[in-house]
Amino acid sequence: MGYIGRREAAPIIVEGLKKLEYRGYDSFGIATIGNGIELDKHQGRISDSSHSAGHLKGKIGIGHTRWATHGVPNDINAHPHTDCLNQIAIVHNGIIENYADLKRELILRGHTFRSETDTEVAAHLIEEAYESEKDLLSAVQNVVPKLKGSFALLIISKGVDQIIAARYASPLVLGVGDGEFFAASDMTPILDYTERAIYLEDGDIACITPVTVEIFNGKNQVQRPVELVDWSIEDTRKGGFAHYMLKEIYEQPQAFYNSVRAITRETIPAPIRNPESVTVVACGSSYHAGLIFKYLLEDSCAIPVRLDFASEFKYFSPPIKGVVIGISQSGETADTLSALKQAKGHNCTTLAIVNVLGSTISRIADFTLFMRAGPEISVAATKSFIAQLAILMQIIDFIGDGEYEEVLLSGHRAIEEVLLMDLSGAVELCRNANSIFFVGRGPFYPVSLEGSLKMKEISYIHAEGYAAGELKHGPFALLSKETPVVAICMPGETYGVMISNIKEMKARGAPVIALGEQGDLELSDVVDIFIPLPETHPFIQVLTSVVVLQLLAYHTAVALNRDVDKPKNLAKSVTVE
Ligand code: F6R
């Protein structure tokens, strides 16, 4: 986060970093230009401290909240980093991949390093370039081509009334105020002040003063439009909920409805409406949404879908052709971005499904469909997952003959119904477990993967999602009364075989929590805890079962006193490969 303008910078940056903390939260730091470069850095979370940085003076400043890549989280490795003379301060997101070579050369030239980070090399390189160029912008323009990897950089220097911002493969947006500018990784902290945004492109270097911004790509000056962001400041607040995650779970009926409404036959690009085959690339929860899509599209329209982890695709990509869909809430996930670039290299038509306007993935894809989930702050994906499914289900509907229109337009009502469900019995079983299995068949198999991901991510209980029929091929050895199984068993073709699987698990001592259709006595009779879901279309039962599993993970994590919104070791946007 950076600020330049007419107000004191430090308090604005502190508040901004609190809002950006979901991107990384192991340490933080701020630098302002006051009496020289004034610096304050700490291990830990800015939101846990009563830190105001009030002693840092000056109307120009930069700050950072870190997710460690190079060097453990401590005060010294926290950003900003400075040069030998403490005249230049820099914050950096991303990774400088050639930092080791650069560092070796800089040490040979007499530079002294304080931290273990890759970032510090940039501070020393700019120090050298500034000495010869005597101009901060030119110095950064000289240094940027030497850096390999990904970076969003903000740089300030003693005695220079500017912030220099540089971007390559890591997001950076400028907020345009009245006699002031903001710079941040996304708009969340900027919305307090302005809705006017300039999204920097790869290779851009911006020279920002309180009243002007000049943007260069390399050395050529370029124009970037000022765009209006339609997220409101209210969307970024907790609104009386104990956690952002719970608020976001409760926003799902609206997120689903808005996302369904946003997609019409016309908004779906022509190549996507009639594909011979589709490849999907994504990570984490977005990958699970892709797997649900695969089951549903293949079943409804008999169109083959290939699904790959984006992190594998770049290195082991198949001979792909046709349409490639990248799914990403943030629109910044480095692996998904590279996979889509790879697909473009194969002349495939690329479609991005993302939540964040102006995000990098939306900019490189041939076509983008935006989810209408609004800002998602909690690290665990919830409403974005439901919004992804809304769009993917709409695509299926438009590839087919429109038979799901009514179903999708009313799906939010069933989601509303499950929000208030009492899960206390299931939570009690889970909170005491060492390990939990989640199982399902067909599209409920990816639902089980998503349920287990949510559980392990926020409760720290080991959990695994399995295709229900696979448990007997090995994992049965782990079943015991300390290992609950959460089974999703909805009516349909696999109902009978699911009941048999559940009985096999029960016979091995595992307590079973089952999600089934309300009124299903056969199922409720064989399981320990029965969670009744509304009787609706199978597409919507996918949604309701996901929501119940999110709530199960949430309440289990709360019962265990976990840090629900900021689970340990994680960050919301993973902009490194
Ligand atoms: C899990 C979660 C992650 C993300 C993954 C991809 O709750 O949030 O698994 O789904 O990091 O992120 P996006 O969708 O931003 O590409």
Side-chain angles (χ1 to χ4, degrees):
M1 168 99 190
Y3 175 80
I4 181 164
R6 48 204 158 76
R7 308 185 233 193
E8 282 300 300
I12 292 175
I13 293 171
V14 167
E15 285 316 303
L17 292 182
K18 286 182 182 165
K19 293 222 161 116
L20 281 175
E21 212 176 29
Y22 65 92
R23 305 179 73 99
Y25 34 85
D26 54 45
S27 49
F28 64 92
I30 296 166
T32 56
I33 307 179
N35 191 13
I37 295 282
E38 299 189 8
L39 194 64
D40 194 18
K41 316 202 288 181
H42 299 273
Q43 183 179 352
R45 299 175 175 196
I46 194 163
S47 54
D48 285 352
S49 68
S50 52
H51 210 79
S52 69
H55 58 290
L56 298 184
K57 297 294 170 219
K59 297 186 167 61
I60 304 173
I62 55 177
H64 187 265
T65 172
R66 180 168 184 246
W67 184 75
T69 59
H70 294 62
V72 295
N74 61 23
D75 291 3
I76 294 173
N77 288 333
H79 300 211
H81 291 286
T82 52
D83 65 321
C84 297
L85 307 170
N86 267 333
Q87 293 195 335
I88 288 163
I90 179 166
V91 291
H92 166 219
N93 277 356
I95 291 185
I96 298 172
E97 287 165 7
N98 57 337
Y99 88 101
D101 291 341
L102 295 171
K103 187 169 178 174
R104 214 170 302 118
E105 291 160 18
L106 282 159
I107 290 172
L108 284 175
R109 293 202 293 272
H111 290 265
T112 309
F113 278 75
R114 300 180 192 92
S115 76
E116 301 160 84
T117 63
D118 51 336
T119 304
E120 200 183 330
V121 295
H124 294 280
L125 286 171
I126 295 169
E127 172 191 351
E128 281 187 349
Y130 190 53
E131 248 169 58
S132 55
E133 298 286 330
K134 311 283 183 239
D135 174 67
L136 191 58
L137 171 66
S138 314
V140 176
Q141 282 173 321
N142 279 343
V143 166
V144 160
K146 298 184 180 144
L147 307 178
K148 295 207 173 79
S150 60
F151 45 85
L153 302 170
L154 295 179
I155 301 129
I156 55 174
S157 175
K158 181 181 163 186
V160 180
D161 288 345
Q162 297 169 345
I163 295 180
I164 307 294
R167 176 211 152 122
Y168 187 79
S170 195
L172 192 51
V173 56
L174 309 183
V176 183
D178 191 7
E180 56 188 357
F181 279 92
F182 306 81
S185 311
D186 65 42
M187 277 301 281
T188 341
I190 298 178
L191 284 171
D192 275 320
Y193 311 97
T194 177
E195 289 166 0
R196 291 186 295 157
I198 298 174
Y199 295 95
L200 296 184
E201 306 269 345
D202 276 351
D204 281 359
I205 299 176
C207 177
I208 313 163
T209 72
V211 286
T212 57
V213 58
E214 286 180 313
I215 303 174
F216 301 82
N217 198 277
K219 301 229 161 162
N220 303 324
Q221 189 157 4
V222 290
Q223 298 300 324
R224 302 284 176 230
V226 178
E227 298 179 34
L228 274 187
V229 179
D230 63 359
W231 287 358
S232 80
I233 184 65
E234 281 314 311
D235 294 334
T236 67
R237 297 198 170 130
K238 238 188 258 177
F241 284 86
H243 297 100
Y244 279 111
M245 181 174 178
L246 191 61
K247 172 178 177 254
E248 288 160 7
I249 289 175
Y250 272 70
E251 285 171 345
Q252 294 186 109
Q254 198 65 48
F256 184 78
Y257 184 71
N258 290 350
S259 301
V260 166
R261 290 289 304 270
I263 307 299
T264 60
R265 193 172 288 279
E266 292 67 46
T267 54
I268 297 189
I272 318 292
R273 265 178 271 154
N274 195 12
E276 264 179 37
S277 66
V278 179
T279 301
V280 178
V281 289
C283 303
S285 292
S286 299
Y287 175 89
H288 298 155
L291 190 50
I292 292 172
F293 175 68
K294 173 179 165 70
Y295 273 104
L296 299 182
L297 183 66
E298 290 185 342
D299 189 47
S300 310
C301 307
I303 292 171
V305 179
R306 184 192 162 99
L307 176 74
D308 283 271
F309 286 118
S311 53
E312 290 289 291
F313 190 82
K314 176 173 173 188
Y315 299 100
F316 308 100
S317 80
I320 34 159
K321 54 183 171 56
V323 172
V324 176
I325 303 180
I327 310 173
S328 173
Q329 185 285 129
S330 58
E332 302 294 349
T333 300
D335 289 321
T336 311
L337 180 63
S338 334
L340 281 180
K341 284 185 179 161
Q342 182 90 346
K344 286 188 87 158
H346 282 77
N347 293 324
C348 295
T349 303
T350 52
L351 169 71
I353 299 179
V354 302
N355 192 34
V356 181
L357 194 78
S359 52
T360 314
I361 289 178
S362 72
R363 285 167 181 268
I364 68 122
D366 298 319
F367 303 100
T368 300
L369 295 175
F370 285 101
M371 308 166 208
R372 295 293 198 276
E376 190 176 67
I377 310 283
S378 189
V379 164
T382 53
K383 61 175 178 170
S384 63
F385 184 75
I386 289 294
Q388 287 166 353
L389 291 178
I391 291 180
L392 293 165
M393 287 175 178
Q394 278 287 61
I395 293 178
I396 296 172
D397 195 38
F398 291 125
I399 289 177
D401 53 13
E403 66 174 303
Y404 306 121
E405 192 183 343
E406 283 303 306
V407 166
L408 294 178
L409 280 171
S410 59
H412 60 288
R413 295 206 190 100
I415 302 176
E416 260 159 28
E417 265 185 66
V418 297
L419 288 178
L420 293 173
M421 193 153 276
D422 175 16
L423 299 175
S424 47
V427 170
E428 203 47 37
L429 253 182
C430 290
R431 68 175 288 188
N432 294 309
N434 291 330
S435 189
I436 307 171
F437 281 99
F438 288 75
V439 298
R441 284 176 178 258
F444 297 102
Y445 158 51
V447 170
S448 76
L449 291 174
E450 179 60 8
S452 76
L453 178 61
K454 289 294 94 102
M455 184 61 85
K456 72 182 108 186
E457 183 178 17
I458 60 167
S459 77
Y460 313 156
I461 298 172
H462 173 248
E464 285 198 56
Y466 253 89
E470 280 295 300
L471 230 54
K472 59 183 173 294
H473 297 290
F476 262 23
L478 295 174
L479 293 188
S480 73
K481 60 181 189 330
E482 280 82 41
T483 319
V485 178
V486 180
I488 310 151
C489 179
M490 305 310 292
E493 218 184 326
T494 60
Y495 178 81
V497 74
M498 270 302 292
I499 294 275
S500 307
N501 292 152
I502 288 171
K503 287 183 177 160
E504 290 155 14
M505 294 164 201
K506 287 286 312 160
R508 278 142 189 96
V512 176
I513 300 164
L515 279 61
E517 195 166 274
Q518 61 197 21
D520 185 342
L521 297 180
E522 185 182 353
L523 178 63
S524 60
D525 273 357
V526 292
V527 298
D528 299 80
I529 294 176
F530 176 65
I531 300 176
L533 299 184
E535 197 181 326
T536 61
H537 189 274
F539 275 28
I540 307 303
Q541 285 177 334
V542 166
L543 308 171
T544 52
S545 50
V546 168
V547 174
V548 167
L549 297 186
Q550 293 167 347
L551 285 165
L552 180 61
Y554 172 78
H555 290 298
T556 305
V558 170
L560 291 168
N561 220 2
R562 304 297 192 225
D563 188 349
V564 174
D565 283 334
K566 292 179 197 135
K568 63 181 179 191
N569 302 336
L570 299 177
K572 179 105 186 132
S573 316
V574 186
T575 51
V576 294
E577 278 187 23

